[in-house]
Amino acid sequence: MLQDRGDADMSHDFSGEHMCPKYECAINVLGKRWTGLIIHVLLRGTVRFKDIREMVPHMSDKMLSERLKELEELEILERKVYPEIPVRIEYELTEKGKDLRPVIDSIHEWGQKWM
């Protein structure tokens, strides 16, 4: 005689398994507020601070500066300073950052379908 086990048969036992540290790190980076939006803007090409601020209007200048520094430290973007008067600073994705395109595109598609 078969017993009705309900949802127990449908679930997986994850006890004893650990989250992959590289996956966890990636989620922590991309999951930070504003980061995905900044990367989305940078996927269009080289931009200046004011361009990002205009495309992500509810983010403060302070927060944008912090996120840009974090992404630069992670080598996801590159900050280029041009010694002109006034000084011109531009941001662009590195190869590492450009590799995020399919991830960002997938999130965009998922959001369009389900949000």
Side-chain angles (χ1 to χ4, degrees):
M1 186 156 101
L2 294 174
Q3 287 184 314
D4 181 14
R5 297 175 77 181
D7 290 340
D9 290 336
M10 301 297 259
S11 65
H12 293 88
D13 181 11
F14 292 113
S15 60
E17 288 187 31
H18 298 287
M19 185 65 61
C20 170
K22 290 182 179 184
Y23 175 82
E24 185 177 356
C25 183
I27 287 298
N28 286 337
V29 169
L30 294 176
K32 277 192 172 179
R33 187 165 189 200
W34 308 112
T35 300
L37 297 174
I38 293 168
I39 293 169
H40 188 266
V41 170
L42 287 164
L43 283 167
R44 296 175 180 212
T46 303
V47 294
R48 297 175 74 176
F49 188 94
K50 68 178 183 66
D51 301 322
I52 300 170
R53 191 178 60 222
E54 288 172 8
M55 297 180 93
V56 187
H58 300 292
M59 179 177 33
S60 70
D61 287 357
K62 180 182 176 188
M63 182 57 65
L64 177 54
S65 293
E66 286 178 23
R67 289 295 180 263
L68 291 171
K69 284 178 189 170
E70 290 170 2
L71 292 170
E72 184 179 12
E73 288 171 7
L74 292 166
E75 298 178 350
I76 291 173
L77 68 78
E78 184 178 14
R79 179 178 184 260
K80 294 184 177 182
V81 180
Y82 298 92
E84 303 170 348
I85 299 176
V87 173
R88 179 170 47 110
I89 301 172
E90 295 180 340
Y91 300 90
E92 74 176 313
L93 293 175
T94 60
E95 201 61 38
K96 181 178 179 179
K98 291 175 184 174
D99 271 356
L100 286 167
R101 181 177 295 281
V103 175
I104 300 299
D105 288 348
S106 292
I107 293 170
H108 180 78
E109 290 171 20
W110 184 85
Q112 290 295 314
K113 182 175 181 180
W114 296 105
M115 294 286 126

